Amino acid sequence: MRTATKLVTCLATVGGLLASTACGVGGTASPGGEGGEGGVALRMSVWTADEKQLALFDSIAAEYTASHPEVSSVTFESLPFADYNTTLSTQIAGGSAPDLAWVGDIAVDLMAADALVPLTEPFSTAEGYDYPDILPSVTQGFSKDGELYAYPFSNSPFAMYVNADLLAEVGEEVPEQLTWEEVERIGAEVSEETDAEGFVIRDFEYSSWMSLATVWTGWGATPWEGSTCTMNSPEMTEAFQFVHDAAFESGAMPGPGTSVDFFAGDAAFTTAQVSRAGLIDGSFEFEILPLPAGPVGEYATLGQAGMGVIASSENVEEATDFLTFMTNPENSAKLAQFFPPPRSSLLSGEKLAEVNTVLSAEQLDRVVVQELPEAVSPPVHTGQAEIVQTGKESLDAMWTPDADVKAVLDSTCTAIEPLLQAE
């Protein structure tokens, strides 16, 4: 049952919102397809501004509106990734929600608040949809009590992108499998001997600390288990010590305040999702490998995104029908050009290479098909946004040369554990 009190209370927690928070938000919009005049105008919030991706979405929307005169247009609203959860929460709580939205770790809060529309029945009964083709393993983060609430359109294992030109410049070859020890060693060489940096953790920037899951999983660490904080575990302490030393001792990783873009040729290595391959522009030779092995051996981490229908939309029926169309087998194959799909029928290197213009079938098999079955997603928790923000404030003390890593992690647990235990 969708009560206003439940929705606003939950989403205010998600975004760390105050009662005085303004509900107006900014963003850019892609107009999508336009159908008959006077029909329903649908809006989907997304966190991509990639022109090629938006062009694909627009083409799918145009095909839909051409055969569905009851929908006049579908607009894709691009919101900044860094503020996406807060902005979406504000929109929903303030009554200006989109009809559909991309969802990531915010999904657990939206499901708890009954803010998403159940999708199992409309997907299962749609002609030609082939709902059983969707891998059950990738639906878990977007399901509650056996009901699917968001279509997991992107299931992208994180990989290690390698600038082969920079490695050659320091006399190194691209190995078949990396270790974090090798990444730090080679990265320090590149930083010392060239104008480029060693390695960067994509989107981390000493702020988005959950991005470090691509590192700490290799140490067998996790930030929490249920309601217990494990940020100060021996495994996590070793992982953060590695990152700290790479930044402030070996110089393998650029320090705070340095803006580095691997895809512009600025670094030898970066961790990023396979779906970021579209940023490769051909200006340097590159390779893509599974994440480096850590002390626990080889591992894989997964970044996911889902598409859901917002329950407070005035156009739930039309939005659900459009989402069913956008994620049917034919359109899922088109989306696979950018986003590793959830459908088993599409998960082969050859199939993915049919629509991927950057990565080869061999590369896609290595970093998607072989990695996906064992990949683990970073943990999520109700009230995730507040937990992450509180953790960031505590971890700010980590990013100085003389920081006591264990002491900072102890303080982080002290700060976030009450939030983990809150009902």
Side-chain angles (χ1 to χ4, degrees):
M1 180 176 175
R2 302 198 307 270
T3 65
T5 300
K6 181 178 182 182
L7 180 62
V8 173
T9 299
C10 180
L11 295 180
T13 301
V14 172
L17 304 174
L18 299 175
S20 59
T21 300
C23 292
V25 294
T28 59
S30 175
E34 294 186 1
E37 295 182 4
V40 168
L42 297 177
R43 176 166 60 98
M44 177 186 286
S45 291
V46 301
W47 59 68
T48 182
D50 185 290
E51 292 182 0
K52 293 180 180 179
Q53 294 177 6
L54 293 172
L56 173 60
F57 302 159
D58 288 344
S59 69
I60 293 173
E63 183 181 355
Y64 181 81
T65 56
S67 59
H68 293 75
E70 71 278 9
V71 176
S72 62
S73 64
V74 182
T75 299
F76 299 93
E77 178 187 48
S78 298
L79 303 176
F81 177 77
D83 304 318
Y84 184 86
N85 284 358
T86 299
T87 302
L88 181 61
S89 303
T90 305
Q91 289 178 330
I92 296 174
S96 59
D99 302 288
L100 307 99
W102 283 13
V103 294
D105 57 17
I106 195 176
V108 64
D109 288 290
L110 295 177
M111 290 188 292
D114 296 332
L116 294 174
V117 172
L119 298 172
T120 303
E121 191 273 337
F123 284 177
S124 299
T125 57
E127 183 177 357
Y129 193 84
D130 194 11
Y131 185 73
D133 189 40
I134 301 173
L135 292 170
S137 60
V138 301
T139 65
Q140 295 177 6
F142 302 109
S143 299
K144 185 181 76 169
D145 300 329
E147 180 72 50
L148 182 69
Y149 287 89
Y151 176 84
F153 73 96
S154 182
N155 306 275
S156 186
F158 283 86
M160 179 62 82
Y161 290 80
V162 184
N163 185 320
D165 289 348
L166 285 175
L167 264 64
E169 197 171 330
V170 296
E172 297 282 352
E173 295 184 353
V174 180
E176 292 186 4
Q177 172 66 54
L178 285 163
T179 66
W180 278 111
E181 185 177 63
E182 290 171 323
V183 169
E184 182 178 23
R185 177 183 64 80
I186 298 172
E189 290 179 11
V190 170
S191 179
E192 176 70 23
E193 300 177 24
T194 76
D195 293 332
E197 299 289 349
F199 75 89
V200 291
I201 307 300
R202 182 80 179 180
D203 297 325
F204 169 46
E205 298 181 345
Y206 296 90
S207 176
S208 299
W209 61 276
M210 287 294 289
S211 299
L212 293 176
T214 55
V215 179
W216 71 52
T217 307
W219 272 255
T222 186
W224 57 76
E225 294 179 353
S227 60
T228 302
C229 177
T230 53
M231 281 293 291
N232 56 356
S233 68
E235 296 83 4
M236 188 67 84
T237 302
E238 290 181 15
F240 267 85
Q241 190 69 59
F242 168 81
V243 174
H244 187 274
D245 290 350
F248 297 106
E249 293 192 15
S250 70
M253 182 178 174
T258 305
S259 179
V260 177
D261 183 3
F262 170 88
F263 295 100
D266 297 341
F269 304 97
T270 192
T271 59
Q273 290 171 279
V274 175
S275 56
R276 300 289 185 99
L279 297 173
I280 295 287
D281 63 4
S283 61
F284 58 87
E285 291 295 319
F286 82 99
E287 186 55 272
I288 184 169
L289 301 172
L291 288 175
V296 299
E298 296 179 7
Y299 65 100
T301 63
L302 180 67
Q304 288 188 286
M307 298 179 186
V309 176
I310 304 300
S312 58
S313 165
E314 296 181 356
N315 310 302
V316 165
E317 181 178 350
E318 293 85 357
T320 303
D321 190 69
F322 173 69
L323 184 60
T324 303
F325 176 82
M326 189 172 188
T327 60
N328 67 25
E330 293 74 23
N331 287 322
S332 290
K334 297 175 185 177
L335 294 171
Q337 175 181 348
F338 303 106
F339 311 106
R343 291 181 174 272
S344 58
S345 61
L346 298 174
L347 285 173
S348 71
E350 292 77 10
K351 280 282 188 182
L352 294 174
E354 290 177 2
V355 293
N356 192 300
T357 60
V358 178
L359 302 179
S360 68
E362 180 184 359
Q363 289 172 322
L364 289 163
D365 185 73
R366 181 170 63 225
V367 298
V368 177
V369 179
Q370 294 183 29
E371 296 291 287
L372 193 55
E374 303 299 326
V376 297
S377 298
V380 295
H381 200 284
T382 53
Q384 179 97 350
E386 187 176 5
I387 293 169
V388 170
Q389 178 59 31
T390 301
K392 176 199 172 300
E393 293 168 0
S394 180
L395 287 169
D396 282 345
M398 179 76 72
W399 312 123
T400 61
D402 59 350
D404 183 330
V405 171
K406 180 62 165 61
V408 173
L409 294 176
D410 284 339
S411 296
T412 302
C413 268
T414 299
I416 71 172
E417 191 151 75
L419 302 176
L420 295 171
Q421 296 174 349
E423 295 185 0

